Amino acid sequence: MTDFFNQWGEAIWTAFLQTLQMTFIALGFSVLIGIPLGVFLILTRKGGQVENSTVYTFLNTLINVIRSIPFIILLFLLLPVTKSLVGTTIGVKGVIFPLVVSCSPYIARLMESAMLEVNRGVIEAYQSMGISTPKIVWSVIIRETRAPIVLGLTIATIGLIGETAMAGLVGAGGLGDLAYQFGYTRFQPDVMYAVIIVLIILVQCIQSIGNAFARSLKKK
C-alpha cells in the first residue's frame, strides 16, 4: 500500500484536482445558463406569466435535441467549435465548453421541474396584488423551490463528474484520464480501483452535502 501511494499518490491527487476544476468551472457556467433557461421555460409555457408558444417550443426542442446526444458523441461533435473558441481540444481548458453545452440544458430541465411544483394559486395571488413578474420569479418561485433547486444542482454536479471521466478519452486530464491511460491501456488495475474509490468517496460527499443543505433550506 505504501509503495502504491509513493508511486501514484501525486498523480492521483493531481487528477483529483483536475476533476474538481473541470466539474466546478463547468457547473458555474452551466448554472448561469441553465437557471435562466429554466425560468424562461416556466414563464413562456402555456399558462405562464408571459406565455409564448413559439419561444417555449424553440427552447423545449433545443433542450431535447442536446439532451438526446450522448456526451461522448457531443464531445467529438463539438471539437471544431471548441478548437475555434479556446484554441485547444485537450486538457481541462479544452473540455469546459462541451461540458457546459451538455450540462446547461440538463440543469434547465431540472429547474423547470422544480419550479412547476410551486402552487399556481400562490403565484396568481401575487399577480392579483400587482407584483411584477421579476419579483414573483425571485421572491416566490425561486424562493419556494430553493431546496429542490439545490437537490437538482447536486444531481447535475454528480452527472458532470461522470462526464469529466468520459472526457479522459480525449486527453482532458482528471481521474477518468488517469484510469483510462494507466488502468486500462497499460493494464494496471490497482490504479483503476484507486480511481473508482476516489470517485465513490467524492460522489458520496457531494450528495451528502447537497442533501444536508436542502434539508436546512426546507426548515427556513
Side-chain angles (χ1 to χ4, degrees):
M1 184 66 79
T2 303
D3 291 340
F4 177 82
F5 279 111
N6 287 338
Q7 183 178 359
W8 292 103
E10 186 176 349
I12 292 174
W13 175 247
T14 301
F16 175 73
L17 293 179
Q18 288 174 336
T19 294
L20 290 185
Q21 192 179 7
M22 285 187 279
T23 300
F24 288 104
I25 291 176
L27 180 67
F29 283 113
S30 300
V31 166
L32 291 176
I33 298 170
I35 291 182
L37 201 53
V39 171
F40 271 118
L41 287 172
I42 291 293
L43 295 179
T44 57
R45 67 184 296 119
K46 187 177 182 180
Q49 285 85 340
V50 288
E51 181 179 335
N52 187 317
S53 60
T54 303
V55 173
Y56 179 80
T57 302
F58 173 75
L59 293 176
N60 191 49
T61 304
L62 180 65
I63 288 171
N64 286 341
V65 168
I66 295 175
R67 291 192 60 212
S68 300
I69 305 172
F71 176 70
I72 193 64
I73 297 175
L74 185 68
L75 185 63
F76 288 111
L77 186 67
L78 292 175
L79 284 178
V81 184
T82 305
K83 176 75 174 178
S84 65
L85 285 177
V86 299
T88 181
T89 58
I90 61 174
V92 173
K93 190 178 177 183
V95 80
I96 296 298
F97 177 69
L99 286 173
V100 172
V101 172
S102 172
C103 187
S104 298
Y106 185 52
I107 288 180
R109 194 62 84 193
L110 288 171
M111 297 303 103
E112 181 191 23
S113 299
M115 294 175 192
L116 282 174
E117 297 300 318
V118 178
N119 190 314
R120 184 70 195 163
V122 175
I123 296 174
E124 290 174 350
Y126 278 92
Q127 284 178 311
S128 65
M129 289 187 286
I131 306 296
S132 66
T133 298
K135 284 187 177 178
I136 290 175
V137 170
W138 180 253
S139 303
V140 180
I141 298 178
I142 291 182
R143 183 176 176 79
E144 290 291 323
T145 55
R146 290 175 301 174
I149 285 175
V150 169
L151 291 175
L153 292 179
T154 303
I155 294 171
T157 306
I158 293 171
L160 266 175
I161 292 172
E163 291 180 345
T164 64
M166 281 188 275
L169 292 175
V170 295
L175 292 167
D177 193 23
L178 185 68
Y180 176 70
Q181 296 294 340
F182 293 93
Y184 179 71
T185 61
R186 300 187 189 183
F187 306 106
Q188 291 186 263
D190 51 349
V191 177
M192 180 82 78
Y193 298 146
V195 168
I196 291 171
I197 290 170
V198 172
L199 286 172
I200 290 172
I201 294 172
L202 178 60
V203 168
Q204 291 297 319
C205 289
I206 290 174
Q207 187 66 61
S208 298
I209 292 170
N211 289 345
F213 191 32
R215 278 198 300 273
S216 70
L217 289 174
K218 282 182 180 178
K219 294 175 182 176
K220 292 181 181 178

